[in-house]
Amino acid sequence: MPAPQWLVVSPVTHGGRVRHAMAAGVLGYVHAACALEELRDAARAVAAGRRYLCRTAAGAVAEGWLGDELTPRERDVLRMLCLGLDNKSIGLRLGVAAGTVKTHVKTLLQKLGARSRTQAATEALRRGLLDDEPVADDPVPLPARPSRGAAQGLYRLQPLPAA
């Protein structure tokens, strides 16, 4: 039995979503506002087993493409950068030095063609680079650490008196 041939018609054409759909086996992707003739052409191409991207989807994929793909660590740093975390906080969550995070941020700025952390976060979201990953919540919780006094041995638990 032949594999199903999927054509997505969507009002969303962020590069990340289109790439994710194509990686999942979708053959065609068109914007919901495309002309009827383009939808017909897309349906025919997909029915014949060929890939089809409308201009809007193809443009989003091309714009979101990075010549140098992001490493998994860069994606982690970028995701946390989008949460507004500073280098020290990112380093604590990833278990690396703040200087290492600074190096990753510098590389991200270069790859994204951004001049600031805010511009990098905006560019990443605009290009759909993190569409398939959570951005709203803190993805990596801060490791539990004892309180300052407990670490120095200043506080001791005392048994409660018997009633």
Side-chain angles (χ1 to χ4, degrees):
M1 182 164 202
Q5 297 164 332
W6 298 97
L7 171 64
V8 172
V9 180
S10 173
V12 180
T13 56
H14 292 295
R17 293 216 177 140
V18 176
R19 285 189 306 273
H20 186 69
M22 301 301 269
V26 169
L27 287 180
Y29 202 105
V30 295
H31 192 271
C34 72
L36 186 58
E37 295 79 26
E38 185 168 27
L39 181 58
R40 183 191 66 229
D41 294 343
R44 286 180 178 161
V46 168
R50 295 188 317 270
R51 292 195 178 271
Y52 188 95
L53 289 177
C54 70
R55 281 181 176 238
T56 307
V61 170
E63 190 169 317
W65 179 76
L66 293 173
D68 296 321
E69 194 65 36
L70 298 179
T71 66
R73 181 59 82 184
E74 288 169 348
R75 292 179 75 77
D76 291 340
V77 171
L78 181 59
R79 185 172 54 249
M80 291 182 206
L81 189 139
C82 287
L83 292 170
L85 299 177
D86 59 25
N87 290 354
K88 184 176 179 182
S89 299
I90 294 171
L92 286 171
R93 284 163 173 77
L94 295 178
V96 299
T100 302
V101 175
K102 185 176 179 179
T103 301
H104 286 305
V105 170
K106 183 179 176 182
T107 303
L108 284 167
L109 293 177
Q110 290 173 345
K111 286 183 176 183
L112 294 170
R115 289 173 287 182
S116 68
R117 298 165 68 92
T118 303
Q119 189 178 15
T122 303
E123 193 62 22
L125 295 173
R126 187 180 69 77
R127 292 183 186 191
L129 296 176
L130 300 175
D131 275 354
D132 57 337
E133 301 174 30
V135 175
D137 296 325
D138 190 352
V140 182
L142 190 60
R145 295 189 316 188
S147 67
R148 185 179 219 182
Q152 296 172 352
L154 300 177
Y155 306 107
R156 289 194 170 76
L157 295 176
Q158 300 294 327
L160 294 173

